[in-house]
Amino acid sequence: GAVVSQHPSRVICKSGTSVKIECRSLDFQATTMFWYRQFPKQSLMLMATSNEGSKATYEQGVEKDKFLINHASLTLSTLTVTSAHPEDSSFYICSAQSHKGAYEQYFGPGTRLTVT
Amino acid sequence: GDSVTQMEGPVTLSEEAFLTINCTYTATGYPSLFWYVQYPGEGLQLLLKATKADDKGSNKGFEATYRKETTSFHLEKGSVQVSDSAVYFCALTRPSGGSYIPTFGRGTSLIVHP
């Protein structure tokens, strides 16, 4: 299957700072990427849909000014957590959507964010 | 809206036992159905998929059949291994207004003991 990388895999930051997470589709062009937040006990929450060349579409309850998403190319989407707080600590996962067939998702390995 | 319901876990089995993880969905039209697996500390991986009624997806000994009449996509494996211990997510994708937004179940944790 397709490969999606995510960087960094782990990051620790101080409260009030910003953190950028990169998601790269390595072997196919992804018009659409998704960002998820995974809570303890495995629940996966879709945060936003990232479309190349256009503004991201955020799910209800997700603050777009806090979670900035940029999808500047067909292989790269970034999520910036601005003014991070301890409650933003979580596991963030991105996925790239296949643009044909069943439109399945190819997931990155995730980023563990800890805000101190 | 669309929804996916999975059986709650954890499911605990002994090695070589038969596995079934139930999944039912609600969606209009004809969604594609998926099972994804997440091993500890990792992202999700596509395990198998089915795109139309009566299709059977299979991979690594796992199988699931798209049952439109019961709106189900149950995951099965005849003989589980310790290495199958992971969280399994059932999901669907349906076209809507030019987009294909996925809907995931809450995940089912599988623990296999030697």
Side-chain angles (χ1 to χ4, degrees), chain A residues 36 38 42 97 104-105 107, chain B residues 36 38 44 49 100 102 107:
Chain A
Y36 299 84
Q38 188 167 35
Q42 78 231 8
Q97 185 173 56
E104 58 264 34
Q105 310 294 311
F107 286 84
Chain B
Y36 292 89
Q38 185 179 30
L44 283 71
K49 64 183 178 183
Y100 293 79

Side-chain angles (χ1 to χ4, degrees), chain A residues 34 36 38 41-44 46 49 91 93 97 102-110, chain B residues 32 34 36 38 42-44 46 49 51 87 89 93 100-102 104 106-109:
Chain A
F34 299 94
Y36 299 84
Q38 188 167 35
K41 301 202 175 185
Q42 78 231 8
S43 177
L44 200 66
L46 177 64
T49 303
F91 194 56
I93 307 175
Q97 185 173 56
Y103 293 85
E104 58 264 34
Q105 310 294 311
Y106 294 98
F107 286 84
Chain B
S32 294
F34 308 88
Y36 292 89
Q38 185 179 30
E42 299 182 8
L44 283 71
L46 177 64
K49 64 183 178 183
T51 59
V87 179
F89 291 88
T93 300
Y100 293 79
I101 306 301
F104 283 82
R106 293 179 62 84
T108 302
S109 175

Side-chain angles (χ1 to χ4, degrees), chain A residues 33-69:
Chain A
M33 291 184 172
F34 299 94
W35 287 96
Y36 299 84
R37 183 172 175 177
Q38 188 167 35
F39 295 94
K41 301 202 175 185
Q42 78 231 8
S43 177
L44 200 66
M45 182 190 83
L46 177 64
M47 298 175 66
T49 303
S50 170
N51 291 299
E52 187 267 339
S54 63
K55 291 184 180 180
T57 303
Y58 291 82
E59 296 299 305
Q60 194 172 7
V62 177
E63 298 175 61
K64 63 180 180 181
D65 294 330
K66 180 170 185 60
F67 297 99
L68 300 179
I69 291 172

